[in-house]
Amino acid sequence: MNIGTAAQKSGLPAKTIRYYEEIGLVHPHRAENGYRAYSDADLHRLRFLQRSRGLGFSIDECRLLLSLYENDSRASADVKELALAKIGEIDRKIAELRSLRKTLSALAANCHGDDRPDCPIIDDLAGT
Amino acid sequence: MNIGTAAQKSGLPAKTIRYYEEIGLVHPHRAENGYRAYSDADLHRLRFLQRSRGLGFSIDECRLLLSLYENDSRASADVKELALAKIGEIDRKIAELRSLRKTLSALAANCHGDDRPDCPIIDDLAGT
DNA sequence: GTTAGTGCTTCCAGTCACTGGAAGGTCAAG
DNA sequence: CTTGACCTTCCAGTGACTGGAAGCACTAAC
C-alpha cells in the first residue's frame, strides 16, 4: 500500500511516516514508480509506533520497544521496567505541574483582576 | 555588570541571557571593550524572565508579561487572564498525564514481569 | 489525447528554547 | 609575561516533527 493509505490506517501523518523511515524505524520497499510500498508488517510497526508514542514513549524508547516487540525471546520484565520507569517520569511531571498550578492559582486568587494596574502576579514575577 | 554576574544574580545561564538578547527580550548596552553591560533594570528583566519561564509561560507569553510589567497603566485583569489561561493549560496537561499513567499502570499490572516473553504491554502496543 | 486534480517524491527550512563548542579577544593576578 | 578565567561571535545540534516548493506519477473526465 502507498504512504497515504498507510497513514490513514496507522493514524500517523504521511510526513511523520517518512520521518520515521529517515531515522530508521521503518523500512518499506519501493514500487517500480519509486513510491513507498508498505506491507502489513510495516503497517503493524507504524501502528505500534503510533500507540507507543501516544503513551509518551520517546522515539528511542519506541525503538527499544519495537526491538522487544520483534524479539520472541524477550523477557517481559524488560518491557515492564520501561513501563514502570515511564510511570515514574509521568509522576514527576504531574508533581511539577501541580506545584506550578498551586503557585499560579495562589497568585491569581490574590489579583483583583480589574482595570487597575496593581497586580500581585506581576509583583511576584518582578520579585518585589 | 558583566554577563557572568548577571547570570549568577538572575539564575539564568549566560548562554540563555545572550539568547534572550538575540530574540529581543533584553537590550544591555556595551562597554568599551565590547562586553555586555547589564544595568539593575536589565537584571530585573532577567529575574522576571527567570521566574515567569519557571512558571511555565512561553517566551511569547513572557514578552507579553514583560510589556505589562513595564506598562504602568496595565489592567490587572489582563495579567490575571493570562495566569488563568495558563492554569487551564496546566490542568489539561495534568489530566492527559493522569490518563496516560492509568493506561500504563494497568498494562504494567497485567505483565508478570519475568523472563518469559509473553507480555500484555507489548500485546497492547501491537494492537493484538 | 489532453487536461485537471490528486498523490507521490526529494530537499530545505522552520518550530521551541535553548545548549555545546570552536576560535579568538580581554582582563586581573602572580 | 604568562596563566587562566571571562568575554565575544558564529555555527551546529537537540526532539519530533511540520510546512512548503519543485517536480514526477497516476487516474478520471472530456
Side-chain angles (χ1 to χ4, degrees):
Chain A
M1 85 196 73
N2 285 347
I3 198 170
T5 314
Q8 228 176 353
K9 293 201 178 183
S10 66
L12 291 167
K15 273 272 185 193
T16 301
I17 296 179
R18 283 194 205 97
Y19 171 69
Y20 284 175
E21 181 178 350
E22 194 186 320
I23 62 174
L25 285 175
V26 260
H27 311 280
H29 47 91
R30 300 296 180 115
E32 290 191 352
N33 58 10
Y35 287 16
R36 288 168 180 82
Y38 293 87
S39 66
D40 282 353
D42 291 329
L43 184 58
H44 273 128
R45 287 179 76 93
L46 291 174
R47 283 221 187 97
F48 188 100
L49 285 165
Q50 197 270 334
R51 283 168 209 232
S52 42
R53 287 288 300 131
L55 281 175
F57 290 98
S58 73
I59 289 287
D60 270 355
E61 286 164 339
C62 289
R63 209 184 290 275
L64 180 52
L65 282 169
L66 260 182
S67 79
L68 290 168
Y69 165 51
E70 279 160 1
N71 174 4
D72 288 342
S73 64
R74 70 179 164 251
S76 66
D78 291 345
V79 185
K80 188 166 186 171
E81 191 191 328
L82 210 52
L84 291 177
K86 188 52 65 177
I87 289 173
E89 241 177 74
I90 291 174
D91 284 344
R92 280 190 293 282
K93 275 188 201 162
I94 289 177
E96 196 184 342
L97 286 174
R98 267 215 270 260
S99 146
L100 274 178
R101 192 199 193 288
K102 203 173 150 189
T103 306
L104 266 182
S105 61
L107 287 173
N110 283 331
C111 176
H112 37 70
D114 55 19
D115 53 7
R116 282 172 296 166
D118 49 310
C119 172
I121 301 172
I122 287 285
D123 289 349
D124 184 88
L125 291 173
T128 53
Chain B
M1 86 197 71
N2 285 346
I3 198 170
T5 314
Q8 228 176 351
K9 292 200 178 184
S10 67
L12 291 167
K15 274 274 185 190
T16 301
I17 296 179
R18 282 193 205 97
Y19 171 69
Y20 284 174
E21 181 178 350
E22 195 186 319
I23 62 175
L25 285 175
V26 261
H27 311 280
H29 46 94
R30 299 296 180 115
E32 290 191 351
N33 57 13
Y35 286 17
R36 288 166 178 85
Y38 293 88
S39 67
D40 282 353
D42 291 330
L43 184 57
H44 273 127
R45 287 179 76 92
L46 291 174
R47 282 220 188 97
F48 188 100
L49 287 166
Q50 196 271 332
R51 284 171 210 231
S52 42
R53 287 289 299 130
L55 281 175
F57 290 98
S58 74
I59 288 287
D60 270 354
E61 286 165 339
C62 289
R63 209 184 290 275
L64 179 53
L65 282 170
L66 260 182
S67 79
L68 291 168
Y69 166 50
E70 279 159 1
N71 174 5
D72 287 341
S73 64
R74 71 180 162 251
S76 66
D78 291 345
V79 185
K80 189 166 186 171
E81 191 191 329
L82 210 53
L84 291 177
K86 187 53 65 175
I87 288 173
E89 240 177 76
I90 291 174
D91 284 344
R92 280 189 293 280
K93 275 189 202 162
I94 289 177
E96 194 184 345
L97 285 173
R98 266 215 270 264
S99 145
L100 275 179
R101 191 196 192 291
K102 202 171 151 191
T103 306
L104 267 181
S105 63
L107 287 173
N110 282 332
C111 175
H112 36 70
D114 55 19
D115 53 7
R116 282 173 296 166
D118 49 309
C119 172
I121 302 173
I122 287 285
D123 289 349
D124 183 87
L125 291 173
T128 52

